[in-house]
């Protein structure tokens, strides 16, 4: 999911894997690590990777993650 002043877009897992550069870790937070990425149109992005996809199933985790996105 990309949030900007212009658009919100969902990306497939394949698109994210193609964009992410796992050798360029930017940092980490409560919801996983953040990596540098580049989209096919050369837009630079930060991609957050959760340590375990199953954690997203809980409503509280999803709510906290959406709150974090709202801050960004």
């Amino acid at each position: 999911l990309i949030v900007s002043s212009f658009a919100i877009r969902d990306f497939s897992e394949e698109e994210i894997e193609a964009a992410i550069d796992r050798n360029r870790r930017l940092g980490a937070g409560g919801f996983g690590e953040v990596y540098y990425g580049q989209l096919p149109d050369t837009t630079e992005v930060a991609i957050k990777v959760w340590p375990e996809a199953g954690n997203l199933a809980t409503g509280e985790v999803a709510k906290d993650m959406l709150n974090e996105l709202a801050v960004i």
Side-chain angles (χ1 to χ4, degrees):
L1 177 71
I2 287 188
V3 179
S4 74
S5 59
F6 303 108
I8 296 175
R9 179 175 169 215
D10 286 316
F11 289 86
S12 69
E13 189 173 338
E14 292 80 18
E15 289 173 304
I16 292 170
E17 286 300 324
I20 194 169
D21 182 348
R22 292 190 185 267
N23 295 315
R24 292 184 65 185
R25 183 174 167 237
L26 301 175
F31 294 104
E33 297 182 331
V34 179
Y35 294 91
Y36 170 85
Q38 191 171 53
L39 301 177
D41 69 358
T42 70
T43 301
E44 294 179 315
V45 294
I47 300 171
K48 182 164 272 199
V49 179
W50 289 279
E52 193 175 308
N55 287 341
L56 294 177
T58 68
E60 193 63 32
V61 171
K63 178 183 168 191
D64 290 345
M65 182 60 196
L66 289 174
N67 285 335
E68 184 175 303
L69 284 173
V71 171
I72 296 170

